[in-house]
Amino acid sequence: MTNSKLRVLLTRRWPQAVEDAMAQDFELRVNQDNRPMTEAELAEGLAWADVLCPTVTDSVSAELLGAPNVRARLLANFGVGFNHIDMAAAKTAGVLVTNTPGVLTDATAEIAMTLLLNSARRAGEGERLVRSGRWQGWHPTHMLSTQVTGKTLGIVGMGRIGLAFARQAHYGFGMRVLYCARTPRSDAALQGLPAQYRSLSELLAASDFVSLHCPASPETHHLINAQSLALMKPTAHLINTARGDVINEADLVDALQQGVIAGAGLDVYEAEPALAPGLLDLSNVVLLPHMGSGTTQTRVAMGECAMANIRAFAAGEPLLNQVV
Ligand code: 8YV
């Protein structure tokens, strides 16, 4: 198989520079509409392409992967998270899967910090007030908020992004860092960060800010629910840049309405772009549209990372970021 003959399908528009580079090496098809492809279109794409490049908005199901006319042998995912792909079905069908780790770590950690600062310091509320034209000027008790510096941050899932965010928080804002993960990390893995391992319930009870960085999986589905929210301090804020279904969103709405916790900052949702009823009405939640990795630099790097995996596949070399 030569590079020039490999059929590659992008399910969404990618940064132009990466599309141009891909078009030079491969027979490239791009979903020009820039809307999620329908199931029928994905089925047709899997039958046409050697390599399909899905994103978080494409559900690559067992049914699609098990169809008899599937030609694709590689899913080069645009993104690090791959919970939208049925991995067991990919394995059974002999379809390889790669992702784009590393290149989006800092950008995603930055959005977690944006949400943390915004939620703690009520920046969204403040901006809405100024824009409304109803701001009546400064006074000593106006829009008081929560200071971040020196507080305790609990990281749930100490992978690349969790660690990058913990480092920003510790070295930038003097925060004490607790973390929970499947296993404690070595000092070397923590890169010298003085982070302390805790169970989830200990972490929830002790943290002023809790930030989620674990992958979506059956084990983490609704990890944060009414029960776990009740363990948090009433003054605490919850940040989610991981995946929406790690939180039971309806339970979070209840907790924010009833003051079980003080605030939340969300970049991801259970049924994106739909939001749980009541979420939009709350002033103590900061809502971003899944933009964690959304810098030009990072989206280009994600495309280049996927392209490098496709080139390796085309050359019959080991894949750089194989997850199945
Ligand atoms: C991406 C993400 O924007 O990489 C991930 O897992 O959540 C985001 O950074 C999205 O997944 C692209 O498919």
Side-chain angles (χ1 to χ4, degrees):
M1 192 184 291
T2 63
N3 278 3
S4 57
K5 287 187 188 155
L6 205 66
R7 293 179 180 176
V8 177
L9 172 62
L10 310 188
T11 64
R12 305 299 291 262
R13 293 299 312 272
W14 286 15
Q16 192 67 53
V18 196
E19 285 188 4
D20 291 348
M22 297 270 264
Q24 285 191 359
D25 284 10
F26 310 118
E27 186 180 342
L28 187 70
R29 252 198 212 175
V30 180
N31 173 20
Q32 296 291 341
D33 290 347
N34 206 13
R35 50 149 179 87
M37 290 173 75
T38 63
E39 201 176 342
E41 288 167 338
L42 282 174
E44 199 271 327
L46 285 164
W48 175 82
D50 300 299
V51 182
L52 183 106
C53 301
T55 74
V56 70
T57 59
D58 303 304
S59 173
V60 187
S61 63
E63 200 184 344
L64 283 173
L65 288 165
N69 62 346
V70 168
R71 171 182 169 121
R73 298 268 61 90
L74 171 64
L75 300 176
N77 187 51
F78 186 88
V80 68
F82 43 79
N83 58 307
H84 51 286
I85 300 171
D86 189 317
M87 300 304 262
K91 197 168 186 175
T92 305
V95 177
L96 304 171
V97 182
T98 58
N99 69 346
T100 63
V103 293
L104 45 72
T105 301
D106 294 332
T108 307
E110 283 177 9
I111 282 290
M113 184 55 82
T114 303
L115 287 169
L116 187 151
L117 291 171
N118 200 327
S119 186
R121 299 307 311 272
R122 303 176 63 184
E125 273 183 83
E127 217 239 5
R128 288 194 292 278
L129 177 66
V130 174
R131 284 186 184 277
S132 75
R134 287 186 275 104
W135 180 38
Q136 295 184 343
W138 185 92
H139 65 88
T141 57
H142 184 233
M143 286 204 74
L144 299 186
S145 60
T146 302
Q147 188 149 315
V148 169
T149 303
K151 296 287 169 55
T152 297
L153 171 65
I155 300 276
V156 178
M158 197 58 138
R160 290 184 195 83
I161 300 170
L163 180 60
F165 180 48
R167 293 178 64 82
Q168 288 176 6
H170 180 72
Y171 295 113
F173 293 89
M175 297 183 86
R176 169 178 173 244
V177 177
L178 310 177
Y179 74 99
C180 68
R182 269 170 297 194
T183 51
R185 298 283 180 269
S186 67
D187 284 349
L190 291 171
Q191 299 170 11
L193 181 78
Q196 296 162 36
Y197 183 78
R198 293 283 188 278
S199 69
L200 177 64
S201 48
E202 287 168 347
L203 177 144
L204 293 172
S207 299
D208 300 305
F209 299 90
V210 172
S211 189
L212 306 178
H213 299 281
C214 50
S217 71
E219 294 77 46
T220 62
H221 181 78
H222 287 184
L223 187 70
I224 303 299
N225 52 33
Q227 225 179 352
S228 39
L229 287 160
L231 298 175
M232 291 174 65
K233 298 181 186 184
T235 50
H237 294 246
L238 176 68
I239 309 301
N240 191 10
T241 54
R243 279 292 179 268
D245 75 345
V246 179
I247 298 179
N248 181 324
E249 214 167 281
D251 286 2
L252 176 62
V253 171
D254 286 346
L256 289 167
Q257 280 170 346
Q258 291 161 24
V260 174
I261 64 170
L266 308 176
D267 187 45
V268 287
Y269 307 87
E270 271 198 89
E272 292 175 20
L275 304 180
L279 200 56
L280 273 182
D281 304 325
L282 293 165
S283 59
N284 55 346
V285 62
V286 182
L287 305 170
L288 294 182
H290 198 151
M291 56 198 288
S293 64
T295 65
T296 306
Q297 177 184 331
T298 290
R299 290 282 161 81
V300 168
M302 288 163 69
E304 285 171 344
C305 180
M307 184 166 60
N309 279 293
I310 301 169
R311 284 187 173 141
F313 174 74
E317 291 166 4
L319 304 181
L320 307 168
N321 310 105
Q322 185 173 344
V323 286
V324 157

